[in-house]
Amino acid sequence: MASEFIANFEVMKYRLAEILVMLGIFLCMPSIVFAKVAGDSLVIDRLFSYQRNLAPSLAGFTDDFYLKYTFRTVRRNPTLFFVPSMYSIARGSRNYIGENVGRITFRSIDDFSIEQRTLKSTIPGNRLAMDVMMRFVIPNLYGKSLFDKYMLSPFNYDNRIFYRYRISFSSSGDVCVTFTPRLSNTQLVEGYAFVDRLTGRILRTRFHGEYDMMSFEVNVVMGAQDGPHALLPVRCDSRATFRFMGNDLRGRFYVDFGVKLPAGPAAAELSADSLRPVPLDRMEAGIYEEHKPRPAVADSSEKKPERKGRKIADKAWNAIDDFLLSRQRADMKNASVTLSPLFNPLYMSYSNSRGLAYKMDIGARYTFSNNRILSLAPRLGYNFKIKKFFFSVPLRYTFSLRRNGWVELSWANGNRITNSSVLDMIKEEDRDTIDFTALNLDYFDDEQLSLTGNLRLTERIEVAVGCNYHRRTAVDKASMRAAGKPTEYSSFAPFVKLTVSPYPSGPTFTANYERSLTDVLGSNIKYERWEFDASMKKELASLRQLNIRAGGGFYTNKSSDYFVDFSNFHADYIPGGWNDDMAGDFQLLNSQWYNASRYYFRVNASYSSPLLLLTWIPFVGRYIETERLYASSLQIEHTRPYTELGYGLTNRYFSVGLFCSFLNGDFHEIGSKFSFELFRKW
């Protein structure tokens, strides 16, 4: 009873600490929360401190591996077609097997890259299937999270208050540590680990939990005490069950890091039979036998049309999968191309202020050397509220990764904008909220071309220089001509941006100056724009994160007719943010206000945690992955101080945020933001 009371008291103290963070009260005091466990707590202390005190660094370490995977379909229906990477399983055989080899290169325990090569596979065309399971290949047992910023590791000191620990001793002298979550949540796992009593090093472990739409179990055997394998598994056997809308699929991924891949010409002769560390079991051999080509049967004229029609149907279904339903990726020796599905409702989002939006991702990359890269990363999206297609196409050549040296050419179209006439129309209004739809505003479509060069001069100072060219064309040209006004404005403006990061984990400061030059490429607008910004992304314990951003800007030396278009304060109709589509932005602010003030001052903050408020409610909180709190404040012309407060949560199905706004402390309005999360991590 005493230990249970202490554990519950620890949780209460942790909740209190989070409330203080929410209120902006930061206390500079060491942690005084101590874990109490039954039995020899010294073993637990050694377990938590092993990586910090004894384990070697993984920077630059490479290792070869053998991967074997199997899929067995228990039940399936047509909805499986819409699950990423499940196309082959949805319409093909019910059983598949494949074997890969590869090489993994570490920059740190949770930062690595994997190169794979398929040796043998029964999946048609060597397609990927359920490749999200690759996240479970290398669990980061000692890190904050077990898998790519998901699942709080029970072996990390900062996560100890979310678990209960019990220990027992084996006949060999090793210690068995059993861990169970204090609450039912998808970010926590349950299982046991055998630990060396003298050092606290994990020898082997088994745990199970839930991830996205899967339940899984992972069995890990860790490496020898000496060398980098002390932090890494030598074998990992993961089993997963995927259930969704009546579909039931079982998968198994087995990885062995004991193989050594040959180099040179011998690498071309690799085969699964020669590299397989353990023989196939009866079920695995049966799957290969099931997919063996069958002897041709006697031909008949009646069967030819059927086979021909089936082949055409297969090609049609493959084309639908390749170009509409699946994320595509092509890798060559030095190049790679990725394309998100052309039709996928999960790429949609909705907010009160900006309506329904759809976006897609495209990426291309060519590596000349370890220090020189050419990349193309377009951002595409369509906003249904204003019926407009948005795009941004940046082509970047990186010539020095070490100095962050790059040159980028970008072509984009901006949000529909009004010129400075809007300032004259609202400056006489004696109210805080203005009905912009009642004003006869002149709208212009914006097209932009920019060239930027960037270089880090010192470890803390970075400079970017370049130029922006805007061509803004009137939406209603006839009315503009009838009023004797220009239908097109152009501007050519060189700019310089200075970025300073005084401390590695501290805020980053930027200063941006841009001045237009008239009579260059038809430029007929005169202005100067100054902007200053400070931002900080603070990683806290247990996957918590604090984001703070503050900044301001203003126009000087402007002509009689110009466009207010700040770089750091504008309406973005292609969803994006720091970590989600809601952070670092104003969700309820009318988009017209971004172009209706000669100056602005803003502050945005967000705090996220996997276990915050609703997570602790039984049944409801089980499936909540992340909760977030938002606070934003703004000062612009013609209105009192504007404030937004919000709460958001993310689960396996969707992200939702509720926001309310205030003018000078008085309630103004309430709204929401919604986006799909289903299979986004797949």
Side-chain angles (χ1 to χ4, degrees):
M1 291 294 294
S3 61
E4 187 70 18
F5 175 78
I6 293 173
N8 293 332
F9 183 65
E10 293 168 5
V11 175
M12 293 175 60
K13 288 193 290 185
Y14 183 80
R15 296 293 95 213
L16 178 60
E18 287 209 329
I19 292 173
L20 294 179
V21 172
M22 288 181 263
L23 296 175
I25 304 175
F26 302 97
L27 303 178
C28 299
M29 61 175 61
S31 174
I32 57 173
V33 181
F34 296 94
K36 299 294 184 181
V37 298
D40 188 1
S41 62
L42 184 60
V43 174
I44 301 296
D45 294 336
R46 290 170 179 165
L47 171 63
F48 288 143
S49 63
Y50 176 76
Q51 180 188 11
R52 184 171 60 251
N53 298 337
L54 301 176
S57 171
L58 288 176
F61 176 69
T62 62
D63 202 5
D64 301 328
F65 65 87
Y66 161 86
L67 167 65
K68 176 176 61 179
Y69 53 89
T70 58
F71 301 106
R72 183 169 62 90
T73 305
V74 179
R75 290 190 306 272
R76 65 183 178 185
N77 58 57
T79 60
L80 198 59
F81 280 103
F82 297 96
V83 180
S85 75
M86 289 293 193
Y87 168 78
S88 298
I89 297 175
R91 71 178 304 267
S93 173
R94 288 183 174 270
N95 300 299
Y96 287 111
I97 186 173
E99 295 174 273
N100 294 4
V101 292
R103 180 161 293 169
I104 182 169
T105 303
F106 288 89
R107 289 171 287 275
S108 64
I109 183 65
D110 53 1
D111 184 10
F112 54 83
S113 57
I114 297 178
E115 298 178 18
Q116 287 193 76
R117 173 181 169 182
T118 301
L119 294 179
K120 203 172 184 180
S121 176
T122 61
I123 300 178
N126 289 331
R127 292 172 181 266
L128 294 175
M130 209 175 179
D131 55 322
V132 67
M133 280 295 295
M134 285 301 296
R135 297 175 186 266
F136 298 87
V137 169
I138 309 174
N140 182 6
L141 300 183
Y142 296 99
K144 296 179 182 179
S145 59
L146 289 168
F147 307 108
D148 192 25
K149 296 186 179 180
Y150 296 98
M151 311 281 180
L152 293 169
S153 173
F155 309 112
N156 184 274
Y157 178 79
D158 293 328
N159 300 335
R160 68 200 184 282
I161 62 173
F162 299 114
Y163 290 95
R164 295 185 177 93
Y165 300 88
R166 296 292 182 269
I167 67 174
S168 58
F169 300 91
S170 67
S171 57
S172 62
D174 297 329
V175 179
C176 179
V177 179
T178 303
F179 46 89
T180 56
R182 293 188 179 277
L183 71 159
S184 178
N185 185 263
T186 185
Q187 291 280 22
L188 303 175
V189 297
E190 181 178 354
Y192 63 86
F194 283 93
V195 177
D196 182 83
R197 184 174 183 178
L198 297 179
T199 64
R201 182 172 67 91
I202 300 172
L203 305 176
R204 62 186 184 277
T205 181
R206 171 181 291 187
F207 55 87
H208 61 88
E210 296 181 4
Y211 176 85
D212 212 342
M213 305 298 294
M214 299 183 300
S215 58
F216 66 89
E217 179 182 276
V218 180
N219 293 273
V220 180
V221 177
M222 298 298 285
Q225 183 171 356
D226 298 327
H229 268 305
L231 292 179
L232 301 174
V234 292
R235 288 188 301 278
C236 184
D237 191 354
S238 304
R239 301 170 186 263
T241 300
F242 171 76
R243 292 188 176 96
F244 174 70
M245 297 186 69
N247 298 285
D248 190 340
L249 174 69
R250 313 293 169 86
R252 179 183 180 184
F253 279 63
Y254 173 83
V255 183
D256 195 309
F257 289 89
V259 301
K260 292 299 177 185
L261 302 182
E269 305 298 327
L270 294 178
S271 67
D273 295 332
S274 63
L275 287 172
R276 191 179 293 138
V278 293
L280 299 174
D281 62 27
R282 191 172 183 178
M283 185 198 73
E284 294 165 345
I287 298 176
Y288 272 127
E289 183 67 25
E290 175 188 337
H291 286 268
K292 273 187 177 181
R294 302 303 177 191
V297 297
D299 196 9
S300 67
S301 58
E302 295 180 357
K303 293 184 178 181
K304 285 183 180 179
E306 182 181 353
R307 289 199 301 268
K308 185 177 180 180
R310 182 177 298 176
K311 180 179 284 189
I312 294 175
D314 288 342
K315 289 183 178 180
W317 277 109
N318 290 339
I320 291 173
D321 175 58
D322 287 340
F323 299 106
L324 293 180
L325 303 178
S326 296
R327 173 178 289 274
Q328 297 300 307
R329 180 179 178 89
D331 291 290
M332 292 165 278
K333 183 178 180 181
N334 296 322
S336 64
V337 178
T338 58
L339 173 66
S340 65
L342 297 180
F343 174 75
N344 192 334
L346 306 180
Y347 280 72
M348 289 187 175
S349 63
Y350 174 82
S351 69
N352 291 66
S353 60
R354 294 168 196 173
L356 186 66
Y358 181 85
K359 64 178 180 179
M360 64 179 299
D361 304 318
I362 302 175
R365 180 185 179 100
Y366 186 85
T367 303
F368 296 95
S369 66
N370 293 334
N371 208 38
R372 296 186 298 126
I373 300 171
L374 182 67
S375 62
L376 179 69
R379 297 178 63 209
L380 309 175
Y382 183 81
N383 186 273
F384 292 86
K385 183 176 182 178
I386 63 175
K387 298 180 177 62
K388 186 175 180 181
F389 174 74
F390 293 95
F391 65 87
S392 174
V393 186
L395 177 64
R396 176 177 294 191
Y397 173 66
T398 302
F399 56 86
S400 176
L401 286 174
R402 185 177 63 87
R403 302 289 295 272
N404 196 28
W406 48 264
V407 177
E408 181 178 277
L409 179 65
S410 178
W411 176 41
N413 66 338
N415 306 318
R416 190 159 287 174
I417 193 173
T418 57
N419 62 8
S420 57
S421 61
V422 67
L423 302 176
D424 299 328
M425 298 181 72
I426 67 175
K427 66 182 179 181
E428 302 299 333
E429 299 284 345
D430 188 21
R431 51 196 172 108
D432 296 308
T433 58
I434 296 175
D435 184 8
F436 287 96
T437 59
L439 301 177
N440 186 22
L441 301 178
D442 300 326
Y443 287 99
F444 292 80
D445 287 326
D446 182 18
E447 193 168 359
Q448 177 185 7
L449 189 67
S450 64
L451 179 64
T452 309
N454 188 86
L455 186 65
R456 185 166 54 236
L457 302 180
T458 68
E459 188 177 353
R460 308 293 182 212
I461 300 176
E462 201 165 304
V463 174
V465 295
C467 56
N468 286 322
Y469 179 76
H470 286 268
R471 185 179 65 183
R472 297 179 173 96
T473 307
V475 174
D476 188 355
K477 295 185 176 64
S479 297
M480 295 293 288
R481 293 191 188 100
K485 298 180 180 179
T487 60
E488 184 175 301
Y489 292 88
S490 299
S491 65
F492 176 83
F495 68 86
V496 59
K497 180 180 179 181
L498 178 66
T499 303
V500 180
S501 304
Y503 308 102
S505 58
T508 298
F509 301 93
T510 64
N512 193 327
Y513 172 74
E514 179 175 311
R515 177 168 180 166
S516 67
L517 302 178
T518 56
D519 300 326
V520 178
L521 299 177
S523 175
N524 55 2
I525 299 177
K526 182 181 180 182
Y527 69 87
E528 281 184 334
R529 189 181 73 227
W530 301 79
E531 285 189 81
F532 302 92
D533 193 77
S535 62
M536 182 179 68
K537 181 188 294 185
K538 184 68 174 178
E539 301 283 349
L540 305 174
S542 303
L543 297 182
R544 294 173 295 158
Q545 190 174 84
L546 177 65
N547 297 306
I548 300 177
R549 183 177 184 180
F554 55 90
Y555 273 81
T556 60
N557 194 30
K558 48 195 178 297
S559 57
S560 58
D561 207 0
Y562 66 100
F563 293 83
V564 175
D565 191 7
F566 292 105
S567 295
N568 298 329
F569 179 61
H570 60 271
D572 191 354
Y573 285 89
I574 304 179
W578 289 327
N579 303 301
D580 61 288
D581 292 345
M582 297 175 245
D585 205 352
F586 295 91
Q587 298 299 322
L588 305 181
L589 184 65
N590 190 314
S591 60
Q592 299 287 356
W593 280 113
Y594 291 97
N595 312 121
S597 175
R598 297 177 181 85
Y599 70 88
Y600 75 91
F601 178 77
R602 60 171 309 167
V603 177
N604 301 89
S606 69
Y607 174 75
S608 65
S609 173
L611 301 161
L612 187 59
L613 300 174
L614 297 185
T615 317
W616 297 85
I617 300 177
F619 305 108
V620 176
R622 177 180 179 182
Y623 300 105
I624 297 177
E625 297 177 359
T626 305
E627 296 178 88
R628 300 181 179 92
L629 298 175
Y630 305 95
S632 302
S633 183
L634 173 69
Q635 179 63 59
I636 55 178
E637 286 185 281
H638 312 297
T639 184
R640 294 176 292 172
Y642 175 84
T643 303
E644 278 187 12
L645 299 177
Y647 167 83
L649 63 85
T650 297
N651 59 30
R652 63 186 61 174
Y653 304 105
F654 57 83
S655 285
V656 63
L658 298 176
F659 299 87
C660 56
S661 62
F662 302 85
L663 282 171
N664 201 30
D666 298 329
F667 176 78
H668 179 48
E669 64 177 327
I670 189 170
S672 63
K673 174 71 179 287
F674 177 89
S675 61
F676 286 103
E677 292 290 335
L678 190 64
F679 305 122
R680 177 179 288 194
K681 298 184 285 290
W682 286 50

